[in-house]
């Protein structure tokens, strides 16, 4: 199943979904949407309720991309509160957009105009700051929070600290973060360097290993893709200004292979952990479980079969994407998906695809997912007495107004 982002059209959430519905008419796999919130109004608040009623239970807030998608703290608080009211999941892209805008300006003006400027202007501590701020704002509103594409150890540490206080916070890692570094952004070939631009950016080896260990230790919780592929011709628009290069890398086809190679083959996790990180946890978080995320009677028969001994090499020459580049170029993998079953039908076997356009179904996701909302009401009822165990509130004091009269 695929969960895509249905961006609003001029701030109109339902128009964005309608546009995606039209694109999904020929879908060959089950799907649903996350809906980004980029503006705030009574109309947006009302549309959120209508969208949840249609079976979409997750909304994304960008703390980056100033002047485009970025939202401020006030909107983020309003949105979090609305998500909690509706039983939806608040998702955040954690980067400090104001600071990044300044860093981009100073970096560019210093003469650094190529893809390396992207990494330089988006340091890991700005990802950590925004992630920590989002978690603290979620604590104020008592709202479950999902942090998308965690790319740094600072952001991972903020998630660990939040969960240590009892907060309901989940951290997602993407396939590129555990298999790639930002070194390629310094490649003298612009085509290669630009292909590796993603936000938050890829980090160095220390961050990569920290994220792998965090997944293995249960401190981060699942692996997605944040798939956003661009051809080299599209990336070339920013040839002389890194700020104009479209951000994003691919990963849908490579995700399971990269996870198996970097996590299972290295001994960090067991195959059963692989299933949880790649499938089961996502199904629970987005309230698809037990329809998805498990092989059981009554569940959808969506199964990927991996041959752990089959070796192959990832490359733009052999992948099935229309992209003319691959950020995973030349990566040797031991372990390959050899058969895929969707809705009980074999759709991939012996390197042959057999799908029927239009067979993909929109899957409704109900609000108040038990995996994330169980205990929220109880926490909200008890937090004050736990943090301030000094007696009931409001405190009654001499001179307070009593019912109908002033106390002497």
């Amino acid at each position: 199943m695929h969960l895509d982002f249905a961006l609003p059209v001029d701030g109109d959430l339902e128009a964005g979904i309608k546009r995606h519905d039209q694109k999904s008419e020929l879908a060959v796999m089950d799907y649903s949407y996350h809906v980004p919130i980029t503006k705030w109004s009574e109309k947006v608040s009302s549309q959120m309720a209508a969208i949840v009623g249609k079976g979409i239970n997750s909304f994304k807030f960008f703390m980056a991309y100033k002047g485009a998608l970025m939202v401020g703290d006030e909107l983020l608080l309003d949105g979090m509160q609305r998500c909690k009211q509706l039983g939806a999941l608040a998702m955040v892209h954690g980067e400090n957009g104001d600071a990044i805008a300044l860093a981009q300006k100073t970096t560019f003006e210093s003469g650094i105009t190529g893809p390396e400027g992207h990494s330089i202007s988006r340091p890991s501590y700005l990802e950590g700051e925004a992630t920590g701020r989002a978690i603290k704002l979620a604590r104020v509103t008592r709202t479950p929070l999902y942090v998308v594409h965690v790319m740094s150890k600072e952001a991972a540490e903020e998630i660990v600290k939040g969960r240590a206080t009892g907060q309901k916070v989940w951290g997602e890692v993407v396939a590129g973060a555990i298999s790639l570094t930002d070194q390629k952004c310094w490649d003298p070939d612009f085509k290669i360097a630009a292909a590796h631009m993603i936000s938050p950016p890829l980090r160095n080896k220390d961050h990569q290993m920290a994220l792998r260990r965090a997944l293995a230790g249960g401190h981060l919780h699942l692996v997605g893709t944040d798939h956003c592929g661009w051809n080299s011709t599209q990336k070339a628009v920013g040839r002389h200004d890194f700020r104009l290069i479209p951000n994003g890398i691919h990963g849908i086809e490579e995700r399971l292979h990269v996870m198996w190679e970097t996590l299972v083959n290295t001994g960090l996790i067991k195959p059963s952990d692989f299933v949880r990180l790649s499938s089961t946890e996502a199904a629970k978080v987005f309230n698809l479980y037990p329809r998805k995320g498990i092989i059981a009677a009554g569940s959808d028969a969506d199964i990927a079969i991996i041959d752990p001994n089959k070796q192959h090499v990832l490359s733009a020459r052999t992948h099935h994407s229309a992209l003319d580049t691959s950020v995973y170029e030349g990566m040797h993998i031991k372990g390959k998906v050899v058969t895929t079953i969707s809705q009980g039908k074999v759709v991939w076997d012996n390197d042959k695809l057999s799908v029927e356009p239009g067979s993909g179904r929109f899957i409704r996701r109900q609000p108040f997912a038990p995996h994330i909302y169980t205990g929220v009401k109880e926490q909200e009822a008890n937090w004050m007495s736990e943090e301030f165990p000094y007696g009931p509130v409001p405190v009654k004091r001499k001179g307070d107004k009593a019912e109908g009269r002033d106390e002497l």
Side-chain angles (χ1 to χ4, degrees):
M1 179 173 173
H2 180 57
L3 286 170
D4 202 359
F5 288 98
L7 280 167
V9 177
D10 297 325
D12 190 316
L13 310 186
E14 292 181 318
I17 291 174
K18 182 178 180 180
R19 180 174 61 184
H20 257 65
D21 282 341
Q22 293 169 346
K23 295 179 180 180
S24 301
E25 290 178 356
L26 298 178
V28 298
M29 63 190 299
D30 291 347
Y31 63 92
S32 185
Y33 311 128
H34 307 299
V35 178
I37 306 296
T38 58
K39 299 180 180 179
W40 193 254
S41 65
E42 287 300 321
K43 178 181 178 181
V44 169
S45 179
S46 177
Q47 285 188 328
M48 288 176 70
I51 288 168
V52 170
K54 293 177 181 178
I56 297 171
N57 67 6
S58 48
F59 297 93
K60 183 177 181 180
F61 302 87
F62 293 88
M63 301 174 76
Y65 305 123
K66 186 174 183 177
L69 301 172
M70 176 179 154
V71 303
D73 288 356
E74 182 178 4
L75 191 157
L76 185 53
L77 285 164
D78 286 338
M80 285 179 172
Q81 286 184 300
R82 188 58 169 150
C83 283
K84 188 178 71 172
Q85 291 170 355
L86 298 171
L89 179 60
M91 310 168 69
V92 291
H93 171 141
E95 284 186 292
N96 188 314
D98 287 319
I100 286 170
L102 174 62
Q104 287 180 322
K105 181 176 182 294
T106 56
T107 300
F108 183 79
E109 290 177 349
S110 74
I112 302 172
T113 62
E116 69 277 12
H118 179 74
S119 294
I120 292 169
S121 62
R122 303 181 95 100
S124 59
Y125 56 80
L126 292 184
E127 182 188 353
E129 183 279 329
T131 300
R133 178 157 42 96
I135 291 170
K136 291 175 179 66
L137 294 180
R139 184 174 182 178
V140 171
T141 60
R142 311 291 156 184
T143 304
L145 185 67
Y146 182 96
V147 183
V148 303
H149 49 54
V150 175
M151 302 293 285
S152 68
K153 56 186 177 183
E154 287 96 331
E157 288 165 358
E158 292 292 341
I159 292 168
V160 171
K161 288 194 292 185
R163 289 178 73 92
T165 69
Q167 276 191 260
K168 296 182 178 296
V169 186
W170 281 260
E172 169 202 271
V173 181
V174 296
I178 57 174
S179 59
L180 307 170
T181 72
D182 56 357
Q183 182 178 356
K184 288 291 186 179
C185 288
W186 272 257
D187 196 288
D189 187 332
F190 175 84
K191 181 178 177 179
I192 294 174
H196 287 77
M197 279 183 53
I198 182 177
S199 292
L202 298 167
R203 309 290 186 189
N204 62 34
K205 192 73 173 180
D206 286 344
H207 291 278
Q208 180 194 91
M209 294 307 299
L211 296 178
R212 290 187 191 181
R213 290 190 290 266
L215 286 166
H219 303 300
L220 294 173
H221 309 98
L222 63 158
V223 179
T225 64
D226 197 42
H227 180 96
C228 188
W230 303 89
N231 269 321
S232 60
T233 52
Q234 295 169 303
K235 294 265 190 177
V237 69
R239 177 64 182 84
H240 302 292
D241 188 344
F242 68 87
R243 297 171 297 182
L244 302 179
I245 300 173
N247 288 194
I249 63 174
H250 56 106
I252 288 180
E253 180 176 351
E254 296 85 2
R255 179 180 70 116
L256 295 183
H257 296 142
V258 166
M259 287 181 65
W260 192 269
E261 179 65 25
T262 62
L263 298 175
V264 178
N265 287 347
T266 59
L268 283 172
I269 67 172
K270 304 185 297 295
S272 57
D273 298 320
F274 171 87
V275 173
R276 171 176 52 82
L277 292 170
S278 66
S279 178
T280 305
E281 186 67 13
K284 290 180 176 180
V285 166
F286 296 110
N287 212 12
L288 292 160
Y289 189 87
R291 180 171 184 176
K292 306 287 187 181
I294 187 174
I295 301 174
S299 299
D300 286 354
D302 295 342
I303 303 169
I305 300 173
I306 295 176
D307 181 344
N309 296 312
K310 195 172 184 66
Q311 300 191 37
H312 57 118
V313 179
L314 303 183
S315 173
R317 294 185 296 275
T318 55
H319 69 197
H320 299 84
S321 167
L323 293 176
D324 61 348
T325 61
S326 173
V327 293
Y328 308 97
E329 189 68 43
M331 186 178 295
H332 289 258
I333 306 288
K334 183 181 179 183
K336 185 177 182 180
V337 175
V338 292
T339 303
T340 304
I341 301 170
S342 177
Q343 300 177 34
K345 299 177 182 178
V346 176
V347 296
W348 174 258
D349 192 50
N350 293 321
D351 291 331
K352 292 182 179 180
L353 184 67
S354 178
V355 293
E356 182 181 342
S359 60
R361 306 166 296 182
F362 173 77
I363 305 297
R364 293 177 59 89
R365 296 179 291 131
Q366 297 301 320
F368 296 103
H371 192 59
I372 63 173
Y373 268 94
T374 297
V376 169
K377 287 184 178 179
E378 291 79 3
Q379 285 186 338
E380 189 165 24
N382 296 322
W383 76 269
M384 193 177 298
S385 61
E386 291 176 354
E387 292 191 26
F388 305 99
Y390 313 123
V393 291
V395 177
K396 292 183 179 181
R397 294 180 174 88
K398 185 177 181 180
D400 288 347
K401 288 185 177 181
E403 292 185 14
R405 65 182 181 86
D406 291 340
E407 289 188 3
L408 298 177

